[in-house]
């Protein structure tokens, strides 16, 4: 008990749980004061050592020593520091360190006033404790080097993060690793390391980070606080000083450790402005926490360039021909005026692109600004390779495309503007952007040089000599042993050639002799050596290289892969090829996680980093598919630096002492080396997959990162030489190349979206500075071939494949029945092109002098011992020699022969499929080709391949693809056992290892980036596995998987386009596969097959069924039916008829046709075809279904009373009623509106069971009741028509018009509907925190990461790609007087039918917002007659009828005259203004072009007015007589002599345009 006396002893202190809140607070406050007292009594840590003072103008700060030299910038700029306390005397200056003038790994010099001003501003923000945001052009190294220069000036350590789409919370906070023994440790990200140790954090590419990621840093930016995954908590340093303890125990017993944010921690963010550049806009809370600085593109371009004045030049390489340096100096200085002129053009273009007002924004230049590295590249190139004479037009074009590759797809107006600027600058002229060589110009490298000689200097360098072709004596020969190149020199024999010799980095391997010697696996032509010279020149300048494909969609070969290989060989490089795919993440480009024994995780370098460390030439094949992720390599490309795993960093240079320093992550003991040095010989060369339009990936960022080398296709002579080497007869080669030239020019012209230079020349004469262009050539600008991407491109590889088939190859020789026309049709998949395009290609074949022959008959194959024999095919009296194919050698794969050879005991041989097997067998076994088979469903693709494998004794593996297939699934089967991930080889790897055939089924259903891996596997025999192993043709490393010579790929897919709507994977595969179209058998083959299948079935019924199905397929091809009926349906039908002969034909046919029960037009067409072939069916569709049911179970409903009153509507409710005469909508009743009853005047069904009265009861209805019912029905129809403001005759007229095009309308509707749905298809979104486990991130799951799931969702568009917007379409109809005057040929009626087809199609779409369309007319009165406005589509039937009436009336009253061209111009202009993702204008005209003096140039110019708008012209009547239409407008101009074809042609055109 307690005492009240004041003398009593103090009370006992209660237990902690008994204290009240006041006592707790007092004790906490006491402890905090005690903690602060102890801190003040403790000895202070030594302050950072001041090593000098930095002064930038009126701003100064102390410079402190660093704790970790490995975290500082590698190179120091020229600066002066005033020493403070410490070493040195006051006023002593630091040492001057030279900057790398070529810009690789260097910092910025301080002699540039813009750079100094930027640095001063950054110092101000640093002293104020504010974070910095630098706004700069994407891919430019200036902003990053500015940040690094600032870090070096203040002697600060830094961390760096390159942002991209795969960066998540783990990369910004902490990662997890499992150490030996199963211990889980947390590894700080660069951001956390920076905040803990007071470093600068450089975040580059903010605009690429997905929304929701950057807010992770918001609290760190605002309050310097962040919760970490290891339980620690970063707090503001002031808050940390107030804490009573650095740890805190939570209610659940966990310990939270508080860590102070270092006071010197700052963030420097770098991003491109959005817009005008692609990317995600800044989150306002994130943006508000920064201080922004716009990096002037002009100033940064000049700062990056080493030529700060006309007098500053890179030291000129020495000339080996002369020891006198004076002439060389003069030549170097002669480059200065050219540099000045081009520099002024570049800078003025930048100024012209900047908009300071709304008016300027509308009228700004079509010429996009040059990349910020353009001046650096230009100056370096002109300094090292000064032109000997004036620069030829083509060389000037090549120079511009090298420093500004975006010009390759720019509109013609941009090129014309640049040409005019060159002319005004006094330059000779600007050549074609397609780099068509002038007949007087020599093919050379940049600025007229050619590679002359290469000699070894040491293990890592070679000496290369270039010579200016114009300074060579005439007829100089650059020759090795057996290879000679005649060079058209211009000087006399006494002149000294101008040569440039320089030492460049190289690999350690033996050099391929140069000049080339004989026995080469390639042709060393002028074009090839010129392209190779350009690559070596770019390499000599110290840049990584990007080979830019031609802008045309179809050209001859550019030898891209060969150039890369030869470039590596002549410089002794080890070539490391990385075949990239879309799924590849930014982190996987740099490092790869692996699991060791016991489940411990670690990291190893990716092939790219391995190449950087060992000095390889790394070939990034298909860089275009990575999108914006490729920009994460900018620092490695520019500075040869990259952040690696667990605080490691690869740098351009480091001292020996620095290389010995080691990282010490938590729980790792001594750690590992912190720095690794990029090998000086390391180079990157990139190529494109050509599966994407240039404009989608050839951005300013890409142009800033690489030195672009435009590719040049082979000329006629070079391509001819290659084809003749196959053994193909010269006459065939000539015909083949003639057709190829026609086809390529047509394909390119079909997407030509600009004014032809030829037509421009005719207008107002030739203006000064106009680009030069060879006759007959056109500048292909616009989108770079987006429309033609899905078409087959007739490249050199395909021509070689055709030539080999037409020549001699091994044991096989082309026989007399080989038809060049058939082979071309097969290679181009002519069978699957839309009708209009197919006819256009057939015309080209015929125009090239290639005749067609009837297909031969192929007897059944037989096996003779070790040979598979295809007996000679016959065509009439002609019979060819048999074809023998060696069967598979069992000893090559005994296990595979025992278990993987398919067995088929019910394959029925027929001529068509035997011929196809013969073609495929020749490709696989004789020519060594990989094969792709395409066809409709049910034509026997799988069975044909299995049958062939059975005949050959070939083991085969099988994989079926689908929408969720991933690249990893194609490579491995993944299992997790006792914490260890195990990988089992997939069927694909087994086929590669053991030399089997691998069937890839449903190839068109998988994502395109998945199918893309087959391109490199088929083309180069290479594949990079996710575990680091490589698939190669020859063994280079112990872990390599060698491609067995017997390995073959067979891809199976449905035909491209509607109604299958698979992915356009053919554009991804390129020309690496031999394509075969699989069609339904011909009539005789199908009859024979069915007779073998059902020998008991009457032969007559088989003949009738075969004929009927042949017509059904023809109906699909013509657009009358919407489903491609196949052999599979016919076989199933025959099997049912044989097994159940008592079933009626009606019932049996329902097995196939019940899919279309509600498509009355389809059912009517089916019945018509069946009736034509004597297959009498009473009913098809829903009525037939009900009648068949009654035959099985005759259900009738007997009325209690059949007394009839007058017909009436009846009462309405929501219940089922059967019988009676009160309620409407019932069944089996009397008088009222319903179903199955008697005496009513209309049918009305509200759902529920239908009960039908007997026919006898129906027949008993009196005539007067029937008549009354009919009268009420007529009245109801009239009432409805009055509501629609239509008469009965109007309704009949509209129905008559619509009926003739109803099938086309349904097909077009289905296509547009499915395309709209396809745009919204969901994909797997990875790196999610919930959903299904992602097997490709199991390793991350073991370490505890949360983003290891995937789920279905809408795919986000790539940066730079437009969001899904509507497609803008305008239809222009001819309403001139001639349409009425000559309507006897049906032209006006067909136009009305076409208009009705279009209006009904778009009105029935469920996603109407996907298409914005309108219809206009033109007549003698004007070019712009509104029929349907874009914002007022006709939703009611009466509105659509009134439009048709208007179209029918206008030609009757209009004046004579024609405004076709004006209508096209107005339509293209107005459509192009709409914010859409595609633009289309389709014109119908019967203009008499000659009468109205309308020239081809006028029509072409009007249609090419806007590059982005796709146009098509349908000429009917007199317009169809203009033979120049298809020639001037290939694949866009159509002559339709039979007006009944107008709806067919228009539907085909719209299908081709929209289905891209």
């Amino acid at each position: 008990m307690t005492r009240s006396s004041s003398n009593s002893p103090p009370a006992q202190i209660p237990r902690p749980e008994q204290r009240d809140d006041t006592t707790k607070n007092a004790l906490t406050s006491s402890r905090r004061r005690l903690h602060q007292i102890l801190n003040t009594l403790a000895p202070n840590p030594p302050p950072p050592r001041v090593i000098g003072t930095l002064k930038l103008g009126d701003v100064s700060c102390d410079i402190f020593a660093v704790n970790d030299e490995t975290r500082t910038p590698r190179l120091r700029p020229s600066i002066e520091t005033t020493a403070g306390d410490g070493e040195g005397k006051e006023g002593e200056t630091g040492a001057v360190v030279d900057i790398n003038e070529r810009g690789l790994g260097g910092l910025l010099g301080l002699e540039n006033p813009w750079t100094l001003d930027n640095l001063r501003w950054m110092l101000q923000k640093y002293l104020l404790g504010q974070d910095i945001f630098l706004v700069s052009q994407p891919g430019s190294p200036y902003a990053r080097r500015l940040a690094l220069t600032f870090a070096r000036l203040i002697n600060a350590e830094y961390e760096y993060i390159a942002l991209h789409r795969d960066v998540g919370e783990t990369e910004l906070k902490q990662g997890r690793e499992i150490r030996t023994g199963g211990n889980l440790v947390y590894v700080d990200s660069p951001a956390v390391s920076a905040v803990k140790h007071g470093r600068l954090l450089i975040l580059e590419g903010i605009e690429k980070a997905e929304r929701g990621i950057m807010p992770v840093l918001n609290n760190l930016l605002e309050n310097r606080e962040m919760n970490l995954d290891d339980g620690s908590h970063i707090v503001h340093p002031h808050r940390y000083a107030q804490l009573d303890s650095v740890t805190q125990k939570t209610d659940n017993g966990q310990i939270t450790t508080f860590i102070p944010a270092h006071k010197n921690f700052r963030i420097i963010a770098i991003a491109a402005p959005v817009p005008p550049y692609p990317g995600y806009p800044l989150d306002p809370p994130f943006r508000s926490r920064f201080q922004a600085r716009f990096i002037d593109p002009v100033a940064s371009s000049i700062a990056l360039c080493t030529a700060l004045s006309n007098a500053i030049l890179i030291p000129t390489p020495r000339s080996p021909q002369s020891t006198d340096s004076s002439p060389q100096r003069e030549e170097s200085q002669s480059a200065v005026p050219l540099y000045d002129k081009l520099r002024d053009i570049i800078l003025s273009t930048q100024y012209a692109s900047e908009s300071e007002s709304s008016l300027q924004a509308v009228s700004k230049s079509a010429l996009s600004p040059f990349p910020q590295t353009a001046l650096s590249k230009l100056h370096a190139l002109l300094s090292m390779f000064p032109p000997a004479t004036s620069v030829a037009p083509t060389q000037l074009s090549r120079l511009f495309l090298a420093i500004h590759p975006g010009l390759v797809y720019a509109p013609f107006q941009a090129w014309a503007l640049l040409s005019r600027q060159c002319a005004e600058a006094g330059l000779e002229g600007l050549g074609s952007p397609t780099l068509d060589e002038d007949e007087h110009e020599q093919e050379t490298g940049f600025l007229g040089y050619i590679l002359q000689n290469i000699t070894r200097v040491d293990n890592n360098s070679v000496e290369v000599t270039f010579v200016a072709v114009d300074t060579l004596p005439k007829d100089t020969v650059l020759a090795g042993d057996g290879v000679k190149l005649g060079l058209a020199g211009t000087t006399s024999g006494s002149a000294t050639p101008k040569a440039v010799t320089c030492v460049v980095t190289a690999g350690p391997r033996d050099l391929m002799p140069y000049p080339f010697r004989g026995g080469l696996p390639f042709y060393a032509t002028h074009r090839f050596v010129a392209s190779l010279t350009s690559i070596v020149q770019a390499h000599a300048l110290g840049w990584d290289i990007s080979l830019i494909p031609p802008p045309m969609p179809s050209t001859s070969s550019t030898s891209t892969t060969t150039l890369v290989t030869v470039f590596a060989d002549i410089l002794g490089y080890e070539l490391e090829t990385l075949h990239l795919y879309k799924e590849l993440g930014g982190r996987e480009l740099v490092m790869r996680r692996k699991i060791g024994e016991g489940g411990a995780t670690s990291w190893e370098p990716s092939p790219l980093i391995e190449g950087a460390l060992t000095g390889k030439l790394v070939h990034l094949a298909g860089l275009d598919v990575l999108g914006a992720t490729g920009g994460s390599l900018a620092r490695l490309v520019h500075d040869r630096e990259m952040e690696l795993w667990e605080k490691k960093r690869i740098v351009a240079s480091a001292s020996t002492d620095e290389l010995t320093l080691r990282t010490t992550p938590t729980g790792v003991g001594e750690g590992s080396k912190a720095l690794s040095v990029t090998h000086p010989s390391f180079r990157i060369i990139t190529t494109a997959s050509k599966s994407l339009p240039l404009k989608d990936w050839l951005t300013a960022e890409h142009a800033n990162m690489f030195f672009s080398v435009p590719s040049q296709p082979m000329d006629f002579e070079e391509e001819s030489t290659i084809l003749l080497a196959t053994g193909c007869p010269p006459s065939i080669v000539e015909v083949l190349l003639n057709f190829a030239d026609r086809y390529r020019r047509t394909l390119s012209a079909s997407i030509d979206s600009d004014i032809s230079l030829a037509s421009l020349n005719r207008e107002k004469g030739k203006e000064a500075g106009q680009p030069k262009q060879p006759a007959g050539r056109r500048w292909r600008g616009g989108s770079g071939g987006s429309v033609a991407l899905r078409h087959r491109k007739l490249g050199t590889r395909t021509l070689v494949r055709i030539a080999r088939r037409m020549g001699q190859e091994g044991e096989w020789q082309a026989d007399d029945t080989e038809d060049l026309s058939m082979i071309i049709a097969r290679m181009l998949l002519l069978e699957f092109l839309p009708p209009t395009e197919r006819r256009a290609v057939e015309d080209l074949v015929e125009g090239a002098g290639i005749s067609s022959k009837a297909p031969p008959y192929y007897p059944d194959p037989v096996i003779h011992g070790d040979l598979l024999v295809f007996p000679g095919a016959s065509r009439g009296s002609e019979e060819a020699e048999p074809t023998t194919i060696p069967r598979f050698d069992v000893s090559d794969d005994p296990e595979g022969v025992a278990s993987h050879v398919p067995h088929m005991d019910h394959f029925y041989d027929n001529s068509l499929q035997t011929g196809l097997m013969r073609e495929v067998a020749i490709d696989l076994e004789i020519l060594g080709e990989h094969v792709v088979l395409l066809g409709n469903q049910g034509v026997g693709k799988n069975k044909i391949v299995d049958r062939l494998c059975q005949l050959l004794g070939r083991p085969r593996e099988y994989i079926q693809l689908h929408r969720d297939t991933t690249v990893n699934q194609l490579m491995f089967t993944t299992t997790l056992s006792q914490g260890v991930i195990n990988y089992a080889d997939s069927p694909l790897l087994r086929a590669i290892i053991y030399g089997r055939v691998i069937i890839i089924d449903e190839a068109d259903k998988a994502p395109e980036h998945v199918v893309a891996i087959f391109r490199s596997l088929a083309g180069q025999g290479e594949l990079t596995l996710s575990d680091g192993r490589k698939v190669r043709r020859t063994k280079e490393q112990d872990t390599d998987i060698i491609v067995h010579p017997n390995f073959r790929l067979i891809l199976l897919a449905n035909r491209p386009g509607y109604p299958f709507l698979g992915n356009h994977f053919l554009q991804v595969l390129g020309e690496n596969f031999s394509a075969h179209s699989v069609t339904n058998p011909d009539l005789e083959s199908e009859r024979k097959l069915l007779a073998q299948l059902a020998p008991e079935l009457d032969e007559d019924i088989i003949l009738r069924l075969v004929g009927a199905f042949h017509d059904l397929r023809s109906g699909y091809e013509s657009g009358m039916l919407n489903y491609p009926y196949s052999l599979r349906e016919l076989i199933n039908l025959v099997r049912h008829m044989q097994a159940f002969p008592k079933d009626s034909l009606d019932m049996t046919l329902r097995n196939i046709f019940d899919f279309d029960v509600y498509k009355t037009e389809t059912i009517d067409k089916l019945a018509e075809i069946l009736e034509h072939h004597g297959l009498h069916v009473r009913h098809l569709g829903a009525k037939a279904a009900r009648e068949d049911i009654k035959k099985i179970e005759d259900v009738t409903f007997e009325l209690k009373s059949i007394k009839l009153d007058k017909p009436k509507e009846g009462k309405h409710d929501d219940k089922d009623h059967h019988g009676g005469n009160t309620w409407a909508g019932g069944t089996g009743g009397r008088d009222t509106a319903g179903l199955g009853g008697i005496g009513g005047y209309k049918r009305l069904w509200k759902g529920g069971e239908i009960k039908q009265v007997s026919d006898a009861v129906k027949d008993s209805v009196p005539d007067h009741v029937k008549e009354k019912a009919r009268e009420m029905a007529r009245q109801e129809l009239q009432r409805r028509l009055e509501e629609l403001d239509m008469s009965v005759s109007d309704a009949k007229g509209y129905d008559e018009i619509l009926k003739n095009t109803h099938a086309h309308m349904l097909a077009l509707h289905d296509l547009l509907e499915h395309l709209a749905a396809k745009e919204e298809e969901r994909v797997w979104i990875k790196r999610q925190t919930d959903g299904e486990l992602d097997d490709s991130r199991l390793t991350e799951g073991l370490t505890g990461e949360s983003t290891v799931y995937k789920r279905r969702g809408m795919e986000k568009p790539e940066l730079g790609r437009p969001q899904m917007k509507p497609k803008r379409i305008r239809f222009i109809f001819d309403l001139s007087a001639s349409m009425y005057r000559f309507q006897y040929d049906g032209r006006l009626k067909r136009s009305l039918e076409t208009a009705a087809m279009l209006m009904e199609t778009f009105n029935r779409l469920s996603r109407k917002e996907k298409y914005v369309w309108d219809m206009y007319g033109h007549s003698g009165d004007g070019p712009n007659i509104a029929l349907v406005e874009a914002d007022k589509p006709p939703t009611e039937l009466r509105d659509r009828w009134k439009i048709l009436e208007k179209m029918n009336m206008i030609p009757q009253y209009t004046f004579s005259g024609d405004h076709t061209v004006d209508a096209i111009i107005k339509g293209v202009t107005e459509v192009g203004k709409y914010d859409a993702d595609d633009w289309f204008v389709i014109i119908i005209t019967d203009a008499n072009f000659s009468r109205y003096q309308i020239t081809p140039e006028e029509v072409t110019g009007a249609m090419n007015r806007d590059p982005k708008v796709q146009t098509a012209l349908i000429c009917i009547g007199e317009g169809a007589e203009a033979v120049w239409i298809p020639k001037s407008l290939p694949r866009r101009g159509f002559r339709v002599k039979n007006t009944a074809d107008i709806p067919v042609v228009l539907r085909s055109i719209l299908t081709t345009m929209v289905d891209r």
Side-chain angles (χ1 to χ4, degrees), residues 1315-1330:
L1315 286 177
K1318 187 179 179 182
E1319 289 182 351
E1320 298 182 356
E1321 279 186 359
R1322 299 191 304 164
V1323 297
W1324 282 114
I1325 303 176
K1326 299 196 172 188
R1327 302 180 70 90
Q1328 303 299 300
T1329 56
D1330 56 59

Side-chain angles (χ1 to χ4, degrees), residues 205-239:
I206 300 291
E207 78 280 2
K208 300 175 188 175
E210 294 187 351
R211 295 180 68 93
I213 296 300
M214 298 318 298
V216 172
L217 300 179
N218 278 349
N219 201 28
L220 187 63
L221 288 163
E222 181 72 13
N223 302 313
R224 293 303 193 249
E225 293 184 359
M226 176 182 280
N227 291 319
L228 301 181
D229 296 337
D230 62 0
S232 59
H233 184 67
I234 296 175
V235 297
H236 194 282
H238 296 316
R239 171 63 179 154

Side-chain angles (χ1 to χ4, degrees), residues 1190 1193-1199 1251-1255:
K1190 287 194 298 179
E1193 185 179 355
D1194 190 9
V1195 180
T1196 61
F1197 181 73
E1198 297 294 336
L1199 291 172
K1251 294 188 176 181
Q1252 179 93 14
V1253 301
S1254 65
D1255 291 340

Side-chain angles (χ1 to χ4, degrees), residues 867-1104:
L867 297 176
L868 171 62
V869 180
F870 290 92
S874 59
R875 181 186 284 118
S877 60
E878 301 177 357
E879 184 171 341
E881 295 294 324
T883 301
T884 59
I885 309 291
R887 300 190 75 226
F888 187 75
D889 189 345
V890 178
S891 62
D892 287 346
D893 185 10
E895 179 183 347
V897 172
S899 60
H900 285 72
V901 175
H903 176 71
M904 302 185 67
D905 56 0
H906 55 271
F907 186 88
Y908 303 99
D909 292 313
N910 59 84
S911 173
L912 185 139
Q913 294 183 344
T914 298
L916 179 60
M917 283 193 291
R918 172 183 177 271
E919 297 289 318
V920 174
I922 291 171
D923 277 341
L924 293 176
E925 305 301 323
I926 302 299
L927 303 181
E929 299 278 2
H930 301 279
V931 172
V932 57
L933 270 64
L934 297 102
N936 292 347
Q937 85 297 339
V939 292
K941 298 184 290 292
N942 292 77
K943 293 186 179 297
I944 291 172
V945 173
D946 280 352
R947 174 61 171 169
L948 179 60
C949 289
Q950 179 185 17
L951 293 173
L952 292 172
R954 264 285 212 163
R956 68 111 166 103
E957 300 278 357
Y958 179 87
I959 294 178
Q960 184 170 9
L961 306 186
H962 49 83
R963 68 173 190 179
D964 298 335
T965 303
T966 64
V967 173
N968 282 336
Q969 290 172 349
L970 289 179
M971 299 176 181
F972 307 110
T973 300
T974 309
T975 58
L976 180 62
S977 177
Q978 298 180 349
V980 178
I981 297 178
N982 300 308
Y983 298 99
D985 289 344
S986 67
L988 175 61
L989 285 186
R990 290 199 302 267
I992 292 173
I993 295 171
Y994 298 113
R996 298 170 183 168
V997 169
I998 175 74
I999 298 175
I1000 311 295
D1001 201 3
E1002 305 289 358
D1004 59 323
K1005 301 303 185 291
E1008 293 177 4
H1009 64 270
V1010 174
V1011 184
I1013 72 167
F1014 300 122
R1015 175 181 182 138
S1016 61
L1017 190 56
Q1020 290 80 41
E1022 296 178 345
L1023 184 64
T1024 303
L1025 306 185
S1026 57
D1027 62 357
R1029 291 183 295 169
K1030 284 291 191 66
V1031 173
R1032 306 180 194 264
R1033 285 176 175 157
T1034 57
K1035 195 176 187 67
E1036 297 184 9
Q1037 299 178 3
D1038 294 338
T1039 58
D1040 286 346
I1041 300 174
I1042 307 304
V1043 179
H1044 197 286
N1046 292 334
F1047 168 69
R1048 296 291 184 273
L1049 280 162
I1050 299 181
L1051 272 60
L1052 307 181
N1054 291 127
R1055 64 183 291 176
Y1058 177 83
F1060 301 100
L1061 295 178
N1063 294 318
H1064 293 151
F1065 73 103
L1066 288 177
Q1067 67 191 37
V1068 178
L1069 295 180
E1071 296 183 279
N1072 297 291
F1073 287 78
S1074 179
H1076 296 262
S1077 57
V1078 185
T1079 60
N1080 290 287
D1082 56 81
L1083 290 172
E1084 180 59 27
S1085 296
E1086 203 164 30
R1087 183 202 62 77
K1088 180 180 177 183
L1089 187 152
L1090 294 177
Q1092 294 174 349
L1093 175 66
E1096 300 166 3
L1097 203 61
D1098 183 30
E1099 185 176 350
D1100 180 68
I1101 192 69
I1102 290 180
L1103 284 174
R1104 295 180 185 275

Side-chain angles (χ1 to χ4, degrees), residues 245-267:
S245 174
V246 297
T247 61
Q248 179 178 345
K249 189 173 183 179
T250 61
D251 294 339
N252 58 7
Q254 295 181 346
I255 302 297
T256 298
T257 302
F258 294 99
I259 302 172
H262 199 286
K263 65 176 183 178
N264 292 335
F265 167 67
R266 304 286 191 278
I267 294 180

Side-chain angles (χ1 to χ4, degrees), residues 792 798 801-802 822-829 1074-1075:
R792 295 290 290 173
T798 300
R801 190 174 289 123
I802 296 174
M822 293 177 61
I823 297 178
I824 290 175
R826 174 168 67 83
M827 294 294 179
L828 296 179
L829 297 175
S1074 179

Side-chain angles (χ1 to χ4, degrees), residues 1110-1122:
H1110 180 77
D1111 284 356
L1112 289 175
R1113 294 161 193 154
S1114 299
Y1116 168 75
E1117 294 295 337
S1118 65
M1120 300 305 296
L1121 295 174
N1122 299 326

